[in-house]
Amino acid sequence: MTFYYNNIYINATSTVAGSYENSGPLSNYFDKTYEDFYINEKSWETAEVRLIKDSIDIVLNKLNKKLNKVDLFISGDLLNQLVASNYTARDLQIPFLGIYNACATSVEGLILGASLISGGLIKNCICSTSSHNNAAEKQFRYPVEYGGIKPLTTTFTATGGVSAFLSKKKGGIKVESSTIGTVIDNNIKDPYHMGACMAPAAADVIYKHLKDTKRDSSYYDLILTGDLGMYGSLILNEYLFDKYDIKMNNHRDSGCMLYDKKMSKVYAGASGPSCLPLVSYSYIFDLMKKKEYRKVLLVGTGALMNSNMVNQKLSIPSIAHAISLEV
Amino acid sequence: MTFYYNNIYINATSTVAGSYENSGPLSNYFDKTYEDFYINEKSWETAEVRLIKDSIDIVLNKLNKKLNKVDLFISGDLLNQLVASNYTARDLQIPFLGIYNACATSVEGLILGASLISGGLIKNCICSTSSHNNAAEKQFRYPVEYGGIKPLTTTFTATGGVSAFLSKKKGGIKVESSTIGTVIDNNIKDPYHMGACMAPAAADVIYKHLKDTKRDSSYYDLILTGDLGMYGSLILNEYLFDKYDIKMNNHRDSGCMLYDKKMSKVYAGASGPSCLPLVSYSYIFDLMKKKEYRKVLLVGTGALMNSNMVNQKLSIPSIAHAISLEV
């Protein structure tokens, strides 16, 4: 299911990151960073709300836009019931649609936003997402303070809030096309190996996008996946070649770019809905504006993991969505 | 944010219900019912997956349509991470977008589906949702077996899976317009009084819909809210009159229609994302096809409740979306 767009732009983006992200190689690219997981809030959950709200303030400031001129807020996050997005929407007081495809949520949002603008239903929208390391660990696994030992395939949920402002007004990054993904389940049951769960979904949507658009992978200057991490990236490349005969010489994974490799605590790399936008909305879009990359395919990758289902020994289905961006 | 549509139809719908719903006054209207909460599955969560899958089989059968002719599956449910929808999507193997606005999810799905078809991005889609009483109780409150005593304002999560097939092909119920709601929070903190949380959000979207469309409430033969229950319905009517000077002589609430009043275990009525569609996709659409109702406004109402936030003594924000249907 590939959509093509005419004159839809990501006019501006914003990135708000935590301390781990600020210790990584992209620290200079973020709009705002916090050194503390609590961010002057009483809980990690309300801290995550703050991350999104900050990112919305920043993106509106960049465009000198008032909130009451925004038609729609599309957002989702990793917290159960999309808590961070809901409490943000409460304070925005503009129409809201909640979405969830795990760590593919950012691209799902961009696709929906671009599609609703393209269809003439809205003029503009803000698409946001967030994740918070401690809030996610507590919810999906164990509280961080337990100090559980983890396998090396584990990824580290990024702490960040990110927003993108989309409209038909020329300026920024152009949204060229998008491909909505299908849920893929290769019977992986290991909640500490999300890269393995998600790689086949990423391969599937990359294959379908290239097939629908009749493009070769080399059409893109960069194919940027979301949060496969070191091992997931290896699996994606092998899987794509073995199953679809596709080679990518231009692939990078945001999960492998957000942190320094010497940060041992982050294991196989970064993950979480904010991971892909923290890398792309800052560093990659900057390179695009400098014309170092002209055509980029963002591939959001989401493991639809639920601890209750993992405890029932069920496999972890995954999904990926792709969006083609140009300057 | 009100959208108008040309020639978008809900061609068919399906309803699969549990035993409580089957003991209620609408039992003859459901396509399929189950007497057991497990539905031949090993857990309540996988039972809920089965409810959606059944509803999709039924809606496709009604239209004599094959799954590979469906462009998109839009779905969300009450389980964390939208588990029931994700595992359904895995088996469907068609493009999937996960959405969540609590018990307003069904209307959110219809709005998105109609909007994407209207914008020419897809030809058709299936919009689904589900809820399962025991799975929801276990997740949001306490396992049912604990036998906790509840206040009379409590509502009873309906067990059901529902689907709607939308396209531009003439036939069925016409989608006329829709209004996306705003998150409203009137500082209610009681997780056993969802009706009070949601009534102001319902009032807000009804007011905005009528204002945008320059209609009087009497324009509609029926304004059907989702799951306010007995007390929430009273609050809605009072609130709408006090704050917006709007009187509804044509209001009913699905939560007050799904069960018999003599069923004491259901307290103030039914709730859950499947509640509104279980009533509307069966009984109400039947009356519409008989031309007893010609113009109906469905108002999905969702309390964006999260137990973690309730434990932090935070208030419960709510949202409602409205969709105008015609024959």
Side-chain angles (χ1 to χ4, degrees):
Chain A
M1 181 55 38
T2 294
F3 303 153
Y4 297 90
Y5 305 104
N6 278 320
N7 305 317
I8 311 282
Y9 295 88
I10 300 175
N11 299 123
T13 54
S14 59
T15 49
V16 181
S19 62
Y20 277 76
E21 296 67 31
N22 196 26
S23 312
L26 306 183
S27 62
N28 288 335
Y29 293 91
F30 302 131
D31 293 307
K32 189 172 181 175
T33 56
Y34 284 102
E35 285 312 301
D36 175 326
F37 274 118
Y38 280 105
I39 309 179
N40 306 320
E41 296 285 340
K42 284 187 183 165
S43 73
W44 294 325
E45 290 77 17
T46 51
E48 191 170 333
V49 177
R50 169 65 49 202
L51 290 169
I52 305 189
K53 286 209 277 197
D54 277 0
S55 77
I56 291 172
D57 287 345
I58 294 168
V59 85
L60 288 173
N61 267 336
K62 284 186 184 179
L63 293 166
N64 200 13
K65 201 104 192 164
K66 292 258 183 286
L67 199 50
N68 61 12
K69 299 288 179 198
V70 181
D71 281 352
L72 183 63
F73 174 53
I74 301 174
S75 188
D77 56 84
L78 223 42
L79 295 179
N80 292 338
Q81 288 82 51
L82 325 183
V83 164
S85 301
N86 296 339
Y87 283 76
T88 301
R90 175 187 70 175
D91 292 348
L92 297 184
Q93 286 299 300
I94 61 170
F96 167 59
L97 293 176
I99 56 167
Y100 183 81
N101 269 165
C103 308
T105 300
S106 64
V107 178
E108 183 188 10
L110 294 178
I111 293 176
L112 272 174
S115 300
L116 292 174
I117 295 171
S118 164
L121 295 136
I122 53 171
K123 283 200 189 116
N124 61 42
C125 64
I126 291 178
C127 303
S128 303
T129 192
S130 64
S131 45
H132 187 291
N133 182 273
N134 298 38
E137 286 299 314
K138 165 178 143 186
Q139 178 180 283
F140 284 106
R141 298 185 185 88
Y142 300 101
V144 172
E145 293 86 342
Y146 284 9
I149 291 170
K150 292 172 178 174
L152 291 175
T153 52
T154 308
T155 48
F156 188 87
T157 306
T159 300
V162 293
S163 291
F165 184 93
L166 279 72
S167 81
K168 281 203 166 233
K169 200 178 163 191
K170 206 167 175 174
I173 309 284
K174 194 173 174 177
V175 183
E176 189 266 335
S177 63
S178 71
T179 303
I180 298 180
T182 299
V183 175
I184 305 289
D185 187 337
N186 268 18
N187 204 29
I188 311 275
K189 299 182 179 181
D190 182 357
Y192 293 101
H193 200 344
M194 291 300 174
C197 299
M198 298 187 290
D204 185 75
V205 83
I206 292 170
Y207 163 72
K208 283 175 181 159
H209 177 78
L210 296 177
K211 194 181 149 210
D212 285 356
T213 56
K214 298 189 176 64
R215 289 172 189 163
D216 188 83
S217 70
S218 62
Y219 173 89
Y220 291 102
D221 301 320
L222 173 70
I223 296 178
L224 184 71
T225 49
D227 53 353
L228 299 176
M230 281 194 277
Y231 303 102
S233 293
L234 292 173
I235 297 169
L236 167 65
N237 279 278
E238 262 191 48
Y239 191 91
L240 206 48
F241 185 65
D242 283 358
K243 187 162 178 187
Y244 302 109
D245 205 23
I246 293 173
K247 268 208 167 185
M248 299 186 293
N249 297 316
N250 48 359
H251 171 249
R252 294 183 82 179
D253 181 69
S254 304
C256 301
M257 296 166 72
L258 191 58
Y259 301 125
D260 265 327
K261 276 188 186 135
K262 62 179 187 283
M263 291 165 72
S264 65
K265 239 186 145 177
V266 302
Y267 310 96
S271 60
S274 71
C275 174
L276 175 65
L278 278 178
V279 172
S280 55
Y281 291 4
S282 59
Y283 174 60
I284 300 297
F285 281 15
D286 199 62
L287 291 176
M288 288 181 82
K289 283 167 194 164
K290 291 177 184 156
K291 306 281 162 78
E292 293 188 33
Y293 289 131
R294 284 171 184 276
K295 290 173 181 160
V296 172
L297 188 70
L298 293 190
V299 182
T301 46
L304 302 166
M305 199 264 265
N306 168 288
S307 6
N308 204 334
M309 299 307 244
V310 169
N311 289 339
Q312 291 178 36
K313 311 245 179 287
L314 296 172
S315 54
I316 303 168
S318 293
I319 193 160
H321 301 300
I323 191 159
S324 159
L325 305 175
E326 287 181 0
V327 282
Chain B
M1 181 54 38
T2 294
F3 303 155
Y4 297 90
Y5 305 103
N6 277 321
N7 305 315
I8 310 282
Y9 295 88
I10 300 175
N11 300 122
T13 54
S14 58
T15 50
V16 181
S19 62
Y20 276 76
E21 296 68 31
N22 196 26
S23 310
L26 306 183
S27 62
N28 289 335
Y29 292 91
F30 302 131
D31 293 307
K32 188 171 181 175
T33 57
Y34 284 102
E35 285 312 302
D36 175 326
F37 274 119
Y38 281 105
I39 309 180
N40 305 319
E41 296 285 340
K42 285 187 182 165
S43 73
W44 293 326
E45 290 78 17
T46 51
E48 191 170 332
V49 177
R50 169 64 50 202
L51 290 168
I52 304 190
K53 286 209 275 197
D54 277 1
S55 77
I56 292 172
D57 288 345
I58 293 168
V59 84
L60 288 173
N61 268 335
K62 283 187 184 179
L63 293 166
N64 200 15
K65 200 105 191 162
K66 291 259 183 284
L67 199 50
N68 60 13
K69 300 287 178 198
V70 182
D71 282 352
L72 184 63
F73 176 52
I74 301 173
S75 188
D77 55 85
L78 223 42
L79 294 179
N80 292 338
Q81 289 82 52
L82 326 181
V83 165
S85 301
N86 296 339
Y87 282 76
T88 301
R90 177 187 68 176
D91 293 349
L92 297 184
Q93 286 299 299
I94 61 170
F96 168 58
L97 294 176
I99 57 167
Y100 183 80
N101 270 165
C103 308
T105 300
S106 65
V107 177
E108 182 188 10
L110 294 178
I111 293 176
L112 272 175
S115 300
L116 292 174
I117 296 170
S118 163
L121 294 136
I122 54 171
K123 282 199 189 118
N124 61 43
C125 64
I126 292 178
C127 303
S128 302
T129 194
S130 64
S131 45
H132 186 291
N133 181 273
N134 299 35
E137 287 298 314
K138 165 178 142 186
Q139 178 180 286
F140 284 105
R141 297 184 187 90
Y142 300 100
V144 172
E145 293 85 343
Y146 284 8
I149 291 171
K150 293 172 178 174
L152 291 175
T153 52
T154 308
T155 48
F156 187 87
T157 306
T159 299
V162 294
S163 291
F165 184 94
L166 278 73
S167 80
K168 280 201 165 236
K169 201 178 161 190
K170 207 169 175 171
I173 310 285
K174 194 174 174 176
V175 183
E176 189 265 336
S177 63
S178 71
T179 302
I180 298 181
T182 298
V183 174
I184 304 289
D185 187 336
N186 268 17
N187 204 29
I188 310 276
K189 299 182 178 181
D190 181 357
Y192 293 102
H193 199 345
M194 292 299 174
C197 299
M198 297 186 292
D204 185 75
V205 83
I206 291 170
Y207 162 72
K208 284 176 180 159
H209 177 79
L210 296 176
K211 193 180 149 211
D212 285 356
T213 56
K214 299 188 176 64
R215 288 173 190 164
D216 190 82
S217 70
S218 62
Y219 173 89
Y220 290 102
D221 301 321
L222 173 70
I223 296 178
L224 184 70
T225 50
D227 52 353
L228 300 176
M230 280 192 279
Y231 304 102
S233 293
L234 292 174
I235 297 170
L236 168 65
N237 279 278
E238 263 191 46
Y239 192 91
L240 206 49
F241 186 65
D242 283 357
K243 185 161 179 186
Y244 303 108
D245 204 23
I246 293 173
K247 268 209 167 185
M248 300 186 293
N249 296 317
N250 48 0
H251 171 248
R252 295 185 80 179
D253 181 69
S254 305
C256 301
M257 297 166 72
L258 192 58
Y259 301 125
D260 264 329
K261 276 189 187 136
K262 63 178 187 282
M263 291 164 73
S264 65
K265 240 187 143 174
V266 302
Y267 310 96
S271 60
S274 71
C275 174
L276 175 65
L278 278 177
V279 172
S280 55
Y281 291 4
S282 58
Y283 174 60
I284 299 298
F285 282 14
D286 199 62
L287 290 176
M288 287 182 82
K289 283 167 195 164
K290 289 176 183 156
K291 306 279 161 76
E292 293 188 33
Y293 289 131
R294 285 172 184 275
K295 290 174 181 157
V296 172
L297 188 70
L298 293 190
V299 182
T301 46
L304 302 167
M305 197 265 266
N306 168 288
S307 4
N308 204 334
M309 299 308 245
V310 169
N311 289 339
Q312 291 177 35
K313 310 245 179 288
L314 296 171
S315 54
I316 303 169
S318 292
I319 193 162
H321 301 300
I323 192 159
S324 158
L325 305 175
E326 289 181 0
V327 282

